[in-house]
Amino acid sequence: MGLIDTHCHLYLEEFDADREERILAARDSGVEMILVPNVDLSTIDRMHELCDNHPDFAVPMMGLHPTSVDTDYVSQLSVMESLLQTRAYCAIGEIGIDLYWDKTRLSEQKAAFETQLRWSIDLDLPVVIHTRDAFSEVFDVINKVGPERLKGVFHSFSGTVSDLKEIEQFGDFKLGIGGVVTYKNSKLPEVIAQTDIRHIVLETDSPYLPPVPFRGKRNEPLYIWETAAKVAMIYEMELEKIVKITRQNSLEVFFK
Ligand SMILES: [Zn+2]
C-alpha cells in the first residue's frame, strides 16, 4: 500500500533515457501506481506502450488536452472515441479549457470539453480536468452537462477558495495537488486548508512542475513524496495517514 501519482506523463521523451530506472526508484520508495493522461493523437502509442509494459503500475486515460484542440479536433476526437471501445482506461483525460496559451480556440475547446464530458457519462468513467485561466468557462460547461452526472479530478488545482467551494458543490470531485503546493509564494496551502483532506488526491504532472527542492529540474513520480510531506504539514497529520487517505481518495474516484 503506497502513494498513487494520479497524473504523470512518464511516456514523454524526457524519460526515454532512463524510464525503467525511474519507475524502479518510484516503486522502491512506495509509489504504488501512476495514472497516465493522454495529450493528443501523437502521444497515444507511447502511452499505451508504457502501460502495456507495466500493467500492474501504469494505467492509461484517454482524452484530448485543451491546448491540442485545433481546427481538426473533431477528427482527433473520433479516433479517441473508437479507442475507448477497444481497451480499458481509468478516466477521460486530460480534458478541459486553457485560456492562458491561446484564447482564439475557446469555442472549439468548449465543444471538445463538452463532448468528452458526455463520453464519461456514457462510459461511467471519471474525468481529469485541466483548467488554466478558465474556471468560469469550465464551470459553465460542467453545469450545462450536469455536475451530478460527473465525477473526477481538477488536476493541478490552482483556484481560489471560492472556486474550491464551487467544486465542492458539484459533489464527486477531488482536487489534484502537485509540486506547486511546495512553492514559496504559493497561495495553495491556505486555499486547500479550507477543504477536507478527503477531497485531495496527489499528483506530480511529471515531467512538469517539480516540487521544492527540485524546481528547475525534470519532475518524476518519486518526487511525489515532497508534495505528500507538504500536504501532511498543511493538515497537521502524520505522513502515513496522508498516504492512506489520499490513496483511498484516488481509488474511490478512479476505480469504484
Ligand atoms: Zn498533464
Side-chain angles (χ1 to χ4, degrees):
M1 191 174 86
L3 277 177
I4 299 179
D5 181 352
T6 60
H7 197 108
C8 177
H9 299 275
L10 201 67
Y11 52 77
L12 293 177
E13 57 255 7
E14 281 87 340
F15 293 100
D16 282 354
D18 61 351
R19 185 173 292 108
E20 298 306 312
E21 234 171 78
R22 301 333 299 154
I23 290 174
L24 273 178
R27 297 188 80 156
D28 283 348
S29 78
V31 175
E32 177 183 333
M33 196 190 312
I34 63 172
L35 308 183
V36 187
N38 189 46
V39 176
D40 56 30
L41 292 187
S42 76
T43 53
I44 293 174
D45 288 345
R46 285 185 277 163
M47 178 184 71
H48 284 161
E49 192 189 346
L50 165 71
C51 297
D52 289 342
N53 288 337
H54 299 277
D56 57 342
F57 180 68
V59 189
M61 307 177 194
M62 182 49 66
L64 179 61
H65 192 291
T67 60
S68 293
V69 170
D70 209 332
T71 44
D72 67 343
Y73 81 92
V74 173
S75 67
Q76 291 214 56
L77 287 180
S78 83
V79 174
M80 293 175 183
E81 193 175 16
S82 35
L83 282 168
L84 280 159
Q85 306 300 326
T86 66
R87 65 174 288 165
Y89 297 96
C90 67
I92 305 294
E94 60 184 288
I95 64 176
I97 301 178
D98 187 319
L99 298 179
Y100 177 81
W101 295 106
D102 185 4
K103 290 181 177 58
T104 61
R105 296 266 174 258
L106 176 59
S107 66
E108 289 89 346
Q109 287 195 37
K110 277 176 134 172
F113 183 42
E114 182 178 338
T115 299
Q116 296 180 92
L117 290 179
R118 294 191 189 284
W119 292 351
S120 88
I121 296 168
D122 294 342
L123 297 164
D124 197 19
L125 285 172
V127 287
V128 170
I129 299 176
H130 168 114
T131 316
R132 195 152 183 208
D133 291 354
F135 269 107
S136 73
E137 289 81 1
V138 161
F139 291 159
D140 284 349
V141 180
I142 288 177
N143 281 317
K144 182 178 174 195
V145 172
E148 70 290 345
R149 305 165 73 199
L150 299 166
K151 69 170 186 170
V153 173
F154 278 82
H155 142 65
S156 195
F157 175 75
S158 60
T160 60
V161 173
S162 97
D163 295 326
L164 180 151
K165 294 297 162 193
E166 188 142 358
I167 292 168
E168 282 181 6
Q169 300 293 312
F170 292 154
D172 268 345
F173 278 89
K174 312 273 185 214
L175 310 176
I177 300 301
V180 173
V181 79
T182 68
Y183 297 173
K184 203 171 155 203
N185 295 320
S186 172
K187 299 260 182 299
L188 205 49
E190 316 163 22
V191 173
I192 63 169
Q194 304 297 312
T195 195
D196 194 283
I197 182 69
R198 69 197 164 79
H199 296 134
I200 304 293
V201 298
L202 301 180
E203 59 174 55
T204 60
D205 205 12
S206 301
Y208 314 112
L209 299 173
V212 173
F214 304 108
R215 281 190 88 171
K217 304 212 167 89
R218 176 189 69 175
N219 198 4
E220 60 173 81
L222 175 66
Y223 298 166
I224 197 171
W225 290 102
E226 308 298 328
T227 299
K230 177 71 183 188
V231 169
M233 272 171 61
I234 295 167
Y235 287 98
E236 296 175 350
M237 285 178 170
E238 298 289 330
L239 181 60
E240 208 176 303
K241 210 167 167 199
I242 295 296
V243 173
K244 195 174 162 203
I245 296 171
T246 59
R247 175 183 184 273
Q248 194 53 45
N249 296 344
S250 308
L251 295 178
E252 213 179 279
V253 64
F254 288 103
F255 299 107
K256 209 174 82 178

